[in-house]
Amino acid sequence: MPSTPSDTREDSPPDAPGRTAPGVRIGGLSVVYRTPAGELPAVRGIDLELPPGTITGVVGESGSGKSTLALSLLNAVQPPGRISAGSVQIDGLGDVVTLRGEELRRARGRHVGYVFQAAQNSLNPLKPVGRQLLDLGRSHGVADLRALVREARDLLGRMGLDGARVLDSHQHELSGGMRQRVGIMFALVLNAHLVVLDEPTTALDMITQATILRIIREVHEERGLTTLVITHDLGVVAEVADRLAVMYGGRVVEQGPTRQVLGDPLHPYTRGLIRAIPRLVGDIGEATALPGRPPTLATIPAAGCVFRERCPLRMDLCATQEPPTVAHGGRLVACHAVEGGIREERAGAGNHGGQDGAGGPDGRDGAEDPDGRAVAAGAREEQA
């Protein structure tokens, strides 16, 4: 075990047992990167709310802007990137975008915990985990380092690890799943109540994935957190998330309660992601890949719908006008075709006395999409 010398600093960590899970409101957020072609948007006009005490999942293909969005919650977008517009309001902290210097550094870890995509990249290979824990405590002015170590050991123990052994280990002595749990420990040990997990199950075997997802749920409930999970795996969000946002080309194209979004997807991109999931039973040929490729930073359209090149519902309007975000059944969706269908559905409901179930906003019947229902109800059956 690392030694835990007494620290006489008066500044103590925010253990504040009465602190509740914060709400997060992201408004008009845009992030650009400087390139030889000028500043190009990686994220544009994001409006997203994380209700207190919930787990929100963000899904999308690689390059959709998920990790850039997550880093914005810490105001940690690195040059040549910058937050060019918008706000990230966190209860008890204010607008993170406006924080600078020492104030921003202390917010990271104390208020917002972050579990990085590749856990080994966030650990110092030259120091055992325990020494890194002490460095973290000192940098945040923790008065009782021994209590910090006890809290870390307790957290690791609740995640099924031998806390003393892990704290004495270097990162190369730990498996991928163990390193991921160490990352979760570092995100929580200063009692942060907003936690961001970036691809928490990437490169892990299925049994370890199931363990990490169980830990995320349990720690979230035990500690009363507000949690954001970034992933490309719909099965992960079906397992743990209360709400789901789907990103494409730096925009949120659909968001709402997870079971609604997966059970009856409105946006054609969401439907495409669900149809691309390999089937474990039945006709494996039913799984069909999305045509084309997602846009890169240099090829994201400057005007119109970002998904139009791959969309089976594209119209002439999609090439020139960005689709507005419209509300429907507790969800928000940005699609010209869906918007038109919603208008027709509401007009039809008015003509027929508000009869329910007359048809979906895109002409489908009102029943749930069986593909989506399969994802929401049992996308991770392979772990059984």
Side-chain angles (χ1 to χ4, degrees), residues 41-99:
V43 166
R44 190 169 81 185
I46 297 291
D47 294 309
L48 182 65
E49 182 175 357
L50 313 184
T54 61
I55 300 178
T56 300
V58 177
V59 298
E61 295 168 284
S62 296
S64 62
K66 305 186 301 296
S67 293
T68 297
L69 171 63
L71 287 171
S72 299
L73 269 67
L74 286 83
N75 195 359
V77 177
Q78 298 298 302
R82 68 181 181 91
I83 297 175
S84 61
S87 63
V88 180
Q89 295 282 347
I90 300 176
D91 291 345
L93 188 60
D95 185 2
V96 177
V97 175
T98 66
L99 299 183

Side-chain angles (χ1 to χ4, degrees), residues 313-326:
L313 304 179
R314 63 182 175 269
M315 305 177 290
D316 292 341
L317 183 65
C318 300
T320 57
Q321 296 185 25
E322 186 169 340
T325 300
V326 295

Side-chain angles (χ1 to χ4, degrees), residues 5 24 163 170 200:
V24 181
H170 290 76

Side-chain angles (χ1 to χ4, degrees), residues 202-258:
T202 295
L204 301 178
D205 63 83
M206 298 307 297
I207 293 176
T208 304
Q209 283 189 36
T211 301
I212 294 297
L213 294 178
R214 175 183 56 79
I215 289 168
I216 290 171
R217 287 196 306 270
E218 291 177 353
V219 171
H220 172 86
E221 294 170 0
E222 288 173 5
R223 300 178 75 92
L225 306 176
T226 299
T227 304
L228 179 68
V229 178
I230 305 294
T231 183
H232 64 274
D233 188 341
L234 285 173
V236 168
V237 293
E239 185 80 7
V240 301
D242 305 302
R243 296 184 59 80
L244 173 61
V246 181
M247 287 191 69
Y248 184 84
R251 278 72 156 185
V252 173
V253 296
E254 185 170 359
Q255 60 177 293
T258 300

Side-chain angles (χ1 to χ4, degrees), residues 73-352:
L73 269 67
L74 286 83
N75 195 359
V77 177
Q78 298 298 302
R82 68 181 181 91
I83 297 175
S84 61
S87 63
V88 180
Q89 295 282 347
I90 300 176
D91 291 345
L93 188 60
D95 185 2
V96 177
V97 175
T98 66
L99 299 183
R100 296 291 184 273
E102 184 68 11
E103 189 178 20
L104 175 60
R105 189 188 69 79
R106 288 190 174 275
R108 297 168 179 168
R110 287 181 167 230
H111 292 272
V112 186
Y114 199 104
V115 182
F116 291 90
Q117 181 169 348
Q120 67 272 16
N121 293 343
S122 62
L123 297 175
N124 187 334
L126 302 180
K127 290 185 177 183
V129 172
R131 291 291 179 186
Q132 297 177 61
L133 175 66
L134 295 179
D135 290 344
L136 175 68
R138 293 188 183 102
S139 70
H140 283 274
V142 173
D144 190 347
L145 292 177
R146 294 183 185 276
L148 184 71
V149 172
R150 286 195 298 270
E151 173 70 4
R153 292 176 62 177
D154 180 60
L155 274 169
L156 292 168
R158 278 187 280 165
M159 291 188 283
L161 300 179
D162 182 336
R165 174 181 174 273
V166 170
L167 292 178
D168 277 336
S169 300
H170 290 76
Q171 67 142 333
H172 67 270
E173 298 175 296
L174 305 174
S175 69
M178 294 170 75
R179 288 196 294 261
Q180 198 71 345
R181 280 174 267 192
V182 168
I184 294 173
M185 179 273 290
F186 274 118
L188 295 174
V189 74
L190 292 180
N191 205 32
H193 276 60
L194 169 62
V195 176
V196 180
L197 301 107
D198 192 355
E199 299 283 4
T201 60
T202 295
L204 301 178
D205 63 83
M206 298 307 297
I207 293 176
T208 304
Q209 283 189 36
T211 301
I212 294 297
L213 294 178
R214 175 183 56 79
I215 289 168
I216 290 171
R217 287 196 306 270
E218 291 177 353
V219 171
H220 172 86
E221 294 170 0
E222 288 173 5
R223 300 178 75 92
L225 306 176
T226 299
T227 304
L228 179 68
V229 178
I230 305 294
T231 183
H232 64 274
D233 188 341
L234 285 173
V236 168
V237 293
E239 185 80 7
V240 301
D242 305 302
R243 296 184 59 80
L244 173 61
V246 181
M247 287 191 69
Y248 184 84
R251 278 72 156 185
V252 173
V253 296
E254 185 170 359
Q255 60 177 293
T258 300
R259 288 190 178 273
Q260 287 187 27
V261 173
L262 296 181
D264 186 21
L266 296 178
H267 198 281
Y269 179 59
T270 311
R271 288 184 229 150
L273 288 178
I274 292 172
R275 282 195 295 268
I277 296 174
R279 302 298 189 264
L280 298 178
V281 295
D283 183 4
I284 60 174
E286 289 182 2
T288 56
L290 276 164
R293 296 177 179 273
T296 65
L297 194 62
T299 61
I300 292 177
C305 176
V306 293
F307 186 61
R308 64 178 183 266
E309 297 299 328
R310 307 172 73 187
C311 182
L313 304 179
R314 63 182 175 269
M315 305 177 290
D316 292 341
L317 183 65
C318 300
T320 57
Q321 296 185 25
E322 186 169 340
T325 300
V326 295
H328 181 72
R331 276 180 283 172
L332 297 173
V333 61
C335 176
H336 288 300
V338 173
E339 180 198 18
I342 290 172
R343 285 200 306 267
E344 293 176 4
E345 179 185 7
R346 288 172 178 169
N351 292 335
H352 296 285

